[in-house]
Amino acid sequence: MKNRFVVVSLLVLVLSLLGSALEYGGGGSYIIYQKYDLTKVNEMLTAQGFPTINSDAIGYGGGGYGRVSPNWVLGGEGAAISLKQTQGTKTTNIQINFGGMYVARVFAFNGKAYIRLGGTMGGSEKTLILAEKTNDPLSNREYSIVAENSFLVKPSLDFEYMIAPFCGLHLGISKSFTFAKQGHAIEDIKPTMIPDVTFGAIFGF
């Protein structure tokens, strides 16, 4: 999975440079919010004596794109989310990473406001890690309970407003759908029907 994120990052860079050459393109970073249903996994954690996890997830990501036709852009994006809680010597950590290729139809308004309707297709990974630390380093323990690799489909609607010729603000609404293809399905770590929300800055030409 890490190699895939490297490939996606390189794709983002190449397409951003390509977009610059075509006089349209760019990218930036964002904060992402996702809501998860962790009822069953928290029941399991309580039974095992580990701290439970808040269902509100905030992570960080970024992406870039270049214009491939007057009204279409192509690029990539990726993000990482960590749901972590420590209680005493025990720590629960759910790590969620995703990345993929992004394509969208662009609608321009007055040269400053843009709407992008499209989505991302790629991969995602979820891992549940339980750790216990003591004063004796030799007694510390960490367990990667489950690792799941999934195919990702993420339709999205993005709004951009340019506050300067080369930068602007971004607000996005999306919904992530994953289909397990490797590892055990972590059905107890699943997003709710509440859409994902992203907010950040963009830089482009």
Side-chain angles (χ1 to χ4, degrees):
M1 180 60 70
K2 291 182 179 179
N3 292 334
R4 294 175 190 168
F5 289 133
V6 171
V7 172
V8 169
S9 299
L10 292 175
L11 178 63
V12 168
L13 176 60
V14 171
L15 290 172
S16 298
L17 294 174
L18 176 61
S20 301
L22 297 176
E23 297 183 351
Y24 190 94
S29 60
Y30 58 73
I31 297 172
I32 181 171
Y33 169 82
Q34 292 183 323
K35 180 77 171 180
Y36 283 86
D37 180 0
L38 302 175
T39 303
K40 291 185 178 180
V41 74
N42 277 334
E43 291 176 355
M44 180 272 290
L45 292 170
T46 299
Q48 297 296 323
F50 279 85
T52 57
I53 295 292
N54 191 304
S55 59
D56 296 304
I58 296 179
Y60 302 93
Y65 54 82
R67 173 175 282 182
V68 293
S69 75
N71 298 311
W72 289 89
V73 295
L74 178 66
E77 72 159 324
I81 296 171
S82 178
L83 294 165
K84 189 174 184 179
Q85 186 67 42
T86 299
Q87 181 177 332
T89 61
K90 296 182 177 180
T91 298
T92 303
N93 189 7
I94 298 174
Q95 296 179 349
I96 304 165
N97 303 293
F98 71 82
M101 179 175 289
Y102 172 79
V103 62
R105 173 70 160 83
V106 179
F107 302 89
F109 302 91
N110 300 323
K112 288 188 176 182
Y114 298 89
I115 292 178
R116 289 186 280 116
L117 178 62
T120 299
M121 295 181 64
S124 72
E125 182 181 68
K126 292 186 290 187
T127 305
L128 172 61
I129 300 173
L130 302 180
E132 185 172 3
K133 293 185 177 181
T134 67
N135 293 327
D136 181 7
L138 297 178
S139 300
N140 293 342
R141 295 177 293 175
E142 181 174 285
Y143 306 98
S144 178
I145 301 301
V146 179
E148 173 193 305
N149 292 326
S150 303
F151 178 70
L152 170 74
V153 177
K154 182 172 169 283
S156 59
L157 178 64
D158 297 280
F159 304 88
E160 295 179 356
Y161 186 80
M162 306 304 293
I163 57 178
F166 58 89
C167 68
L169 298 176
H170 159 266
L171 176 65
I173 300 174
S174 61
K175 190 70 184 76
S176 298
F177 300 94
T178 58
F179 308 90
K181 61 182 181 179
Q182 180 179 341
H184 302 285
I186 311 180
E187 297 179 352
D188 294 340
I189 304 175
K190 55 187 178 181
T192 65
M193 294 306 297
I194 297 176
D196 308 339
V197 179
T198 58
F199 178 76
I202 57 170
F203 301 90
F205 305 87

